[in-house]
Amino acid sequence: AIWDERKQELLLARDRMGIKPMYYTHLPDWQFIFGSELKAVLANPAVERKIDLIALNEYLSYEYVPTPRTIIRNVWRLEAGHYLIFNRRGVEVQAYDNLSFRQSESRPPVDWRDYSASLYKTLRSAVERELVSDVPVGVLLSGGLDSSTIAALMVDLYPGKVESFTVGFEEGSFDESKYARQVAQRLNTNHNEMILTSRKAVDLVAEISNFMDEPFADSSIIPTYLLSRFARQKVKVVLGGDGGDELFAGYPTVLSHRLIGYYERLVPWVLRAYLAPRLMDKLKVSFDNISLDFRLRRFLAGRGVPLITRHQRWLGSFVDEEKASLLQGWIQPVLRETYYQSFEYARECDAKEHLNQILFNDQKTYLEGDILYKVDRASMAASLEVRVPFLNREVVHFANDLPLDIKLHRFTGKFLLKKMMKGRLPDDIINRTKKGFNMPVAYWLSGDLKELMTDMLSPSFVNRQNLFDSTYVQQLTDEH
């Protein structure tokens, strides 16, 4: 934020990828309020605390409120890669940097070997820059490819022994701490590990809601905060692997867009329309991490809808048919706005390839609105600085310029990154199936979190809010 005294003009700018947030509102009588947390804006009593119903609708589908809206009406979030000018003429917002995939689609067919060395050099340089610090620097190590890659590069560059940190879970299908341990042993880091239990999660709920500012449905905020607190006991700065999936096509959803094309071409319409839904009804529901029934139900939920709608259905929670039952009648006119922001980004994107459009959308929505928001809130609450080498400008431009085929090669995501790390990391870490940082919430809601859930979703409480249909909410809890 820069104030120009001579021009009587304020300039606000936000980083290119949205690593840090920026909230603002413009009030009558030329009042302009801004801050990196929503509570800083709401501290001014002139700001009305009224829910933005369009943002509420978006939240229910996305699981977060996508930029530029916030949950509070007339309070906005500045978009990543944008600047804002406020003066006597009002507020003007402009982009200063745009993500581009044009180069990716204009290159002739290539071999991954043409790019592997350049990617290594670019990423190593980014890690080296992020290690500049007056205090010790550690690494958040999940045992996935992205964080393991950052850890491997860091070990080569860091003058001392690297402190690595991970969190595990009691529930077996969710616990990936053994992979982090394996990487730590290979790289010879000083490894620190803790286990998150459902009892600890219950104790953290009230604490976390105090610093979230907005509704946010990514349950991995709980272990991210706990891990940040844990790491802060030894270091003040850590590196993380965030951004690798969005840049190098690591999410299963990207591959699923390719697979659903085969499904709709090769499986007869009668089987898709009638048999598949009936088979789904007979599948046993599992609470395990990314279980088979979950994957199949999500996959089929994307059938027969536009690309962007399909993608958000796969990533998010409630679809419009469900919200028609969930929301009270007076709110339902906002339902037509559900994926407006994603369709806006689709029009802004210069990619012609559908999967490049999905990568663009993920970088503009899920990465900024979910992943980076979660890391910022959790780490700042623990007074820990998290740095993300994958989102350095040079790495982002390099990745987005790459031909799609060496990011998603046939059915292998993060293909080039995996090739680059061959021999530098254990093969079973490189070839692991992507699972993500998921929580055993379904188990917890049937155990230690059950009482909290029934209190928060009781008919009397829901009716007092006057937003949701308490009968439908009760149906959801009963079904669980």
Side-chain angles (χ1 to χ4, degrees):
I2 301 170
W3 172 250
D4 188 323
E5 179 68 22
R6 184 175 56 81
K7 289 184 178 178
Q8 292 286 288
E9 187 171 270
L10 176 71
L11 170 74
L12 298 182
R14 189 175 178 200
D15 66 90
R16 288 170 169 81
M17 300 304 292
I19 297 168
K20 289 293 174 183
M22 175 70 81
Y23 295 91
Y24 68 93
T25 188
H26 182 202
L27 300 177
D29 303 322
W30 300 104
Q31 290 188 78
F32 189 85
I33 304 160
F34 66 95
S36 58
E37 295 185 33
L38 185 58
K39 64 172 66 70
V41 176
L42 294 178
N44 190 312
V47 180
E48 289 188 295
R49 296 175 178 228
K50 291 186 176 178
I51 288 179
D52 182 329
L53 294 177
I54 294 175
L56 172 65
N57 174 49
E58 289 179 327
Y59 163 70
L60 291 169
S61 287
Y62 284 86
E63 302 187 347
Y64 56 90
V65 179
T67 302
R69 291 185 184 277
T70 71
I71 197 65
I72 304 296
R73 193 189 308 172
N74 296 324
V75 178
W76 306 93
R77 201 182 293 113
L78 186 61
E79 286 187 59
H82 283 62
Y83 67 86
L84 176 152
I85 291 175
F86 171 68
N87 53 32
R88 283 291 174 181
R89 293 188 298 276
V91 175
E92 178 190 357
V93 177
Q94 291 287 342
Y96 69 84
D97 190 65
N98 291 305
L99 301 173
S100 174
F101 286 79
R102 190 178 297 113
Q103 186 75 14
S104 166
E105 298 180 359
S106 63
R107 286 178 163 169
V110 292
D111 189 282
W112 64 267
R113 295 171 186 84
D114 300 334
Y115 292 96
S116 180
S118 296
L119 174 59
Y120 183 80
K121 182 181 175 183
T122 304
L123 199 49
R124 179 185 166 95
S125 175
V127 171
E128 190 171 24
R129 285 196 298 275
E130 298 289 17
L131 286 175
V132 176
S133 174
D134 296 329
V135 295
V137 181
V139 63
L140 302 181
L141 183 61
S142 69
L145 177 62
D146 299 336
S147 64
S148 300
T149 296
I150 298 302
L153 293 168
M154 183 177 175
V155 165
D156 288 345
L157 295 162
Y158 197 61
K161 192 162 185 176
V162 171
E163 297 279 349
S164 58
F165 303 89
T166 196
V167 62
F169 302 95
E170 291 175 308
E171 291 80 2
S173 73
F174 290 84
D175 184 37
E176 303 199 321
S177 57
K178 65 180 180 181
Y179 299 111
R181 217 174 299 130
Q182 183 182 353
V183 174
Q185 288 169 355
R186 172 72 172 263
L187 299 178
N188 194 30
T189 66
N190 185 24
H191 194 52
N192 303 268
E193 185 179 304
M194 70 178 307
I195 300 296
L196 173 59
T197 65
S198 56
R199 193 65 256 165
K200 281 183 185 172
V202 173
D203 295 339
L204 284 171
V205 167
E207 193 174 338
I208 286 172
S209 64
N210 286 336
F211 63 73
M212 286 310 298
D213 286 354
E214 294 192 75
F216 184 72
D218 185 340
S219 59
S220 63
I221 183 69
I222 297 172
T224 304
Y225 173 55
L226 203 63
L227 185 59
S228 297
R229 264 192 351 192
F230 182 50
R232 184 61 182 80
Q233 294 171 11
K234 286 197 171 184
V235 296
K236 293 182 179 179
V237 179
V238 291
L239 304 192
D242 300 303
D245 287 306
E246 290 82 1
L247 293 180
F248 295 98
Y251 288 127
T253 43
V254 182
L255 172 59
S256 296
H257 285 291
R258 180 167 283 178
L259 293 176
I260 205 164
Y262 294 121
Y263 173 77
E264 295 194 328
R265 282 198 304 274
L266 300 178
V267 178
W269 178 84
V270 173
L271 295 182
R272 286 186 274 123
Y274 294 105
L275 185 60
R278 285 167 176 75
L279 288 174
M280 283 296 97
D281 289 340
K282 295 185 183 303
L283 266 183
K284 185 178 183 297
V285 174
S286 169
F287 284 176
D288 286 349
N289 191 14
I290 315 293
S291 60
L292 174 64
D293 70 291
F294 173 83
R295 282 180 286 170
L296 289 175
R297 288 177 207 281
R298 277 294 161 112
F299 184 77
L300 293 177
R303 189 176 60 84
V305 296
L307 177 74
I308 294 298
T309 303
R310 177 201 305 156
H311 188 63
Q312 295 307 154
R313 280 190 172 204
W314 281 345
L315 282 174
S317 281
F318 292 97
V319 298
D320 283 356
E321 305 91 85
E322 293 166 329
K323 286 186 292 185
S325 300
L326 175 67
L327 291 169
Q328 294 206 5
W330 69 275
I331 304 177
Q332 291 193 16
V334 303
L335 287 177
R336 64 182 183 275
E337 302 283 352
T338 297
Y339 299 129
Y340 170 81
Q341 198 55 50
S342 289
F343 280 103
E344 280 293 292
Y345 289 138
R347 283 188 281 273
E348 180 186 314
C349 178
D350 62 6
K352 293 183 173 60
E353 288 262 10
H354 280 180
L355 295 185
N356 269 339
Q357 292 172 16
I358 292 301
L359 294 180
F360 180 91
N361 183 77
D362 277 351
Q363 290 174 32
K364 298 288 282 187
T365 56
Y366 185 65
L367 176 64
E368 187 260 325
D370 186 304
I371 301 298
L372 294 175
Y373 177 85
K374 170 189 69 181
V375 171
D376 176 71
R377 294 289 82 201
S379 61
M380 288 293 95
S383 300
L384 180 74
E385 181 186 346
V386 178
R387 299 177 180 177
V388 279
F390 275 116
L391 299 183
N392 271 222
R393 179 174 55 178
E394 291 79 4
V395 180
V396 171
H397 286 177
F398 183 93
N400 287 348
D401 284 350
L402 287 172
L404 178 62
D405 185 58
I406 59 174
K407 288 184 279 192
L408 179 65
H409 184 68
R410 299 194 179 107
F411 302 120
T412 302
K414 290 198 276 204
F415 180 76
L416 181 63
L417 196 60
K418 290 175 178 178
K419 290 292 186 182
M420 184 192 86
M421 295 308 294
K422 182 81 172 170
R424 294 184 172 104
L425 289 173
D427 284 350
D428 50 346
I429 297 297
I430 292 173
N431 299 321
R432 274 182 62 205
T433 301
K434 171 73 180 177
K435 281 208 168 181
F437 203 16
N438 297 310
M439 303 303 99
V441 174
Y443 286 107
W444 292 351
L445 291 178
S446 300
D448 286 338
L449 279 171
K450 184 175 182 179
E451 186 178 345
L452 178 67
M453 178 182 74
T454 52
D455 284 349
M456 293 297 296
L457 300 181
S458 68
S460 59
F461 185 78
V462 172
N463 287 331
R464 278 202 306 276
Q465 287 184 315
N466 195 34
L467 296 170
F468 307 112
D469 182 281
S470 59
T471 304
Y472 185 70
V473 172
Q474 191 63 49
Q475 179 189 326
L476 292 177
T477 55
D478 289 345
E479 284 175 356
H480 184 74

